[in-house]
Every structure is written in structure tokens, then in C-alpha cells.
């Protein structure tokens, strides 16, 4: 991996330099591939990888609510097998926040409510199969495809009262499928990654601002990993789009920092900046990935 870690054997720095040298060599020997927060590499992992992520959001718009501010935590497990295949399992763990009921709502327009539950918002429990078709050493780039699907695990409960009894829930049922391609490679001295996919929500609940429970969303992600600042910190710039160019439009720019501590641990942090549409306006991002 080009410019992953730099080291110095100047007098008085021989021992630290040796340690960094051996870390760099073990990173390369392990087939290490740095990964941004959102954009996945096409290259199949050579180790099992477990990631835990946290992200905050502000002013997100859904079907019945707007000005949704909150945070969500999720985990992802990647299991490679037979050299060119892997499974990717995503599990949203927890979401909490507060929102405002839309002014055209028939029960409580303008009401401020709390939202929380053991699940995600647009992200469901999913399992995807990935297959790498081309390798960078043969074609100059890595290329793979993926197919998968999933369903809602747990509802997001709210304090919005129902007409007769109890309270309403967001995203309490739903299924989805997904497919797409991923590519990555080193070009112009930078590591470039791109994902092009489609999400099909065959059933969803209270997600689409256009009030349609069935939707098909373009899932676009791209990233550039720049040369490191110093020895360990790699600046990354990501762009993501989730939407259908009509009712759902979430356009986001993510400047972030990626720190490969060693071949087994990678730390990431960044800021998600909304560029219009009805997605989050601003939010924080953090992730830790462990390989074993």
C-alpha cells in the first residue's frame, strides 16, 4: 500500500523506526486495504472484519415528521471465503432523537415528539453476497458485484399519540433488496473507490417524504483517499447520494480522517455535510474496524 506509513531511521530514532517499519511490512503482507466510512472497496477482504459505527443527523425529513435530529449506532460483519467471495451483514443497533410532526398531519400537526428504538432509519438488517470479478494486479483496478436483502428488525417508537390508544411507531415493518457494483484502484497517485447500487424497498413504513411505502432508490458512493498527513493520518473525501431524484434526495459530502493503527485496527472520524434535498443537514461520523 503506497504511502501507508512513513518512517525515519535518523540517529536516535532507530528503534521507533524499526517498529514502524515492521508494522508497515506486516500491513502490506496482510493484504491490508483501507476503507472509508461509507464507500466499500471492491477488493475482497483477507480477514474477518467487524465494524461499529456511530453517526448523528439533523433536520432529516421522513413521511410524517421533519426536523428529525438524532443519532444511530450500527455494526457490520464481513466474512470472506474462497479467496473471491464474502458475506456482509449489517445490523442497526440503536436510534434516538426528536422530531416535529408535519403541519399536514391529521392527528397532531406541529407536535414535538421523541423517537427511539433498537433499529435504524433507512438502514435495515441486511445480508449481502459479494463476488470479486477483477483484481488490480491483473486489470489495473478491482471490480466486484453484490446482491442482498433484509428487513426491519425493531420499530422506532415515538410519543405521537394514536387516535384511540398508545403511540405511533416509525419503520415498524418493511423489507428491502439491493444490488450493485463496486470498484477501486490507484489512479493519479490517489486511491479511488466507487459504489453504484440500487435499493428496492418492497415495503416500508413512514420513511418516504412522498408518502409512498414502495420505493426504488439509487445508492451512490464515491471516495478519494489522499496521501497521509505525517505517519498515520489519511484524509478522505467522500460523496454519497441516496434517492430517486423526486421524493427522496439525500446528498452528502463527507470529509474525514482515517487512521490505520495497525493491520488489525482502523479508526475513522468525519463530518457529514448535507448538500440539499431532504437528508440530514449536518452530522458527525465515527467508526472503528477490527480485523481478525
Amino acid at each position: 500500500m503506497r504511502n501507508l506509513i512513513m518512517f525515519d531511521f535518523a540517529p536516535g530514532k532507530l528503534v521507533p523506526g524499526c517498529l514502524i517499519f515492521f508494522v508497515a511490512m506486516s500491513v502490506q503482507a496482510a493484504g491490508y486495504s483501507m476503507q472509508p466510512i461509507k464507500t466499500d472497496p471492491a477488493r475482497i477482504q483477507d480477514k474477518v472484519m467487524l465494524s461499529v459505527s456511530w453517526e448523528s443527523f439533523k433536520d432529516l425529513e421522513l413521511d410524517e415528521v421533519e426536523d428529525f435530529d438524532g443519532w444511530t449506532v450500527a455494526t457490520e460483519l464481513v466474512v470472506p471465503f474462497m479467496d473471491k467471495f464474502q458475506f456482509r451483514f449489517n445490523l442497526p443497533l440503536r436510534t434516538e432523537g426528536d422530531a416535529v410532526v408535519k403541519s399536514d398531519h391529521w392527528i397532531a400537526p406541529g407536535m414535538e415528539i421523541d423517537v427511539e428504538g433498537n433499529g435504524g432509519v433507512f438502514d435495515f438488517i441486511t445480508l449481502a453476497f459479494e463476488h470479486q470479478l477483477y483484481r488490480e494486479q491483473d486489470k489495473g483496478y478491482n471490480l466486484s458485484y453484490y446482491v442482498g436483502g433484509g428487513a426491519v428488525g425493531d420499530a422506532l417508537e415515538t410519543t405521537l399519540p394514536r387516535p384511540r390508544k398508545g403511540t405511533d411507531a416509525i419503520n415498524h415493518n418493511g423489507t428491502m433488496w439491493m444490488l450493485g457494483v463496486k470498484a477501486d484502484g490507484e489512479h493519479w497517485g490517489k486511491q479511488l473507490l466507487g459504489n453504484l447500487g440500487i435499493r428496492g424497498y418492497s415495503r416500508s413504513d413512514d420513511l418516504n417524504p412522498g408518502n409512498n411505502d414502495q420505493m426504488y432508490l439509487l445508492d451512490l458512493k464515491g471516495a478519494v483517499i489522499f496521501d497521509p498527513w505525517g505517519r498515520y493520518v489519511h484524509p478522505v473525501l467522500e460523496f454519497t447520494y441516496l434517492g430517486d431524484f423526486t421524493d427522496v434526495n439525500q446528498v452528502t459530502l463527507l470529509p474525514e480522517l482515517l487512521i490505520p493503527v495497525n493491520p488489525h485496527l482502523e479508526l475513522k472520524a468525519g463530518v457529514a455535510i448535507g448538500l440539499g434535498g431532504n437528508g440530514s443537514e449536518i452530522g458527525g461520523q465515527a467508526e472503528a474496524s477490527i480485523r481478525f
Side-chain angles (χ1 to χ4, degrees):
M1 176 60 68
R2 180 181 178 270
N3 288 334
L4 178 65
I5 298 176
M6 295 183 291
F7 50 89
D8 186 0
F9 287 135
K13 298 182 180 179
L14 181 58
V15 174
C18 288
L19 291 175
I20 295 170
F21 173 78
F22 285 118
V23 168
M25 291 302 99
S26 61
V27 164
Q28 294 183 21
Y32 178 86
S33 177
M34 290 186 295
Q35 301 193 21
I37 295 177
K38 294 293 185 181
T39 311
D40 297 326
R43 179 177 179 175
I44 297 298
Q45 299 296 304
D46 65 339
K47 296 181 182 296
V48 174
M49 183 177 71
L50 177 66
S51 300
V52 178
S53 63
W54 170 91
E55 65 178 280
S56 64
F57 50 88
K58 181 177 177 59
D59 292 338
L60 182 66
E61 181 185 356
L62 301 179
D63 181 11
E64 298 181 354
V65 302
E66 57 190 357
D67 298 331
F68 185 12
D69 304 341
W71 55 266
T72 187
V73 174
T75 186
E76 178 182 80
L77 179 66
V78 179
V79 181
F81 62 99
M82 295 177 63
D83 190 46
K84 58 182 179 180
F85 305 104
Q86 66 187 18
F87 286 112
R88 186 181 299 269
F89 177 69
N90 283 279
L91 177 64
L93 296 175
R94 184 72 181 174
T95 297
E96 292 188 14
D98 55 76
V100 176
V101 180
K102 286 185 173 180
S103 58
D104 59 353
H105 195 274
W106 63 288
I107 298 178
M111 180 180 181
E112 296 184 2
I113 63 172
D114 295 329
V115 182
E116 63 178 36
N118 298 322
V121 185
F122 281 87
D123 292 323
F124 294 177
I125 299 174
T126 58
L127 178 65
F129 167 79
E130 302 181 5
H131 174 203
Q132 184 170 351
L133 300 174
Y134 298 150
R135 298 181 183 275
E136 187 171 14
Q137 55 266 39
D138 300 325
K139 299 287 187 176
Y141 59 93
N142 297 307
L143 179 69
S144 64
Y145 70 88
Y146 66 93
V147 294
V152 168
D154 195 15
L156 301 181
E157 302 293 341
T158 78
T159 53
L160 174 63
R162 286 180 175 271
R164 296 181 180 179
K165 64 177 182 178
T167 57
D168 199 9
I170 293 175
N171 208 9
H172 64 273
N173 61 61
T175 56
M176 66 169 291
W177 55 264
M178 55 189 180
L179 59 87
V181 294
K182 303 177 181 181
D184 71 78
E186 186 172 325
H187 300 281
W188 306 294
K190 305 293 183 290
Q191 194 70 20
L192 307 180
L193 304 91
N195 302 164
L196 171 59
I198 298 175
R199 296 188 189 187
Y201 291 80
S202 52
R203 191 176 73 229
S204 66
D205 177 70
D206 299 333
L207 294 183
N208 192 333
N211 196 26
N212 188 350
D213 291 341
Q214 182 174 324
M215 52 186 173
Y216 302 94
L217 305 182
L218 183 63
D219 191 2
L220 273 177
K221 302 171 185 174
V224 182
I225 302 177
F226 296 92
D227 292 338
W229 294 343
R231 290 174 172 170
Y232 304 104
V233 181
H234 291 253
V236 178
L237 187 63
E238 286 193 85
F239 173 85
T240 68
Y241 175 79
L242 181 67
D244 56 8
F245 303 108
T246 54
D247 296 325
V248 181
N249 280 293
Q250 300 180 10
V251 190
T252 309
L253 185 69
L254 297 98
E256 61 197 57
L257 298 177
L258 192 156
I259 305 174
V261 178
N262 58 45
H264 305 286
L265 176 63
E266 192 171 84
L267 303 178
K268 314 162 194 179
V271 178
I273 305 169
L275 300 180
N278 44 29
S280 172
E281 290 188 1
I282 190 74
Q285 303 272 333
E287 183 174 276
S289 298
I290 301 174
R291 295 174 173 85
F292 52 91

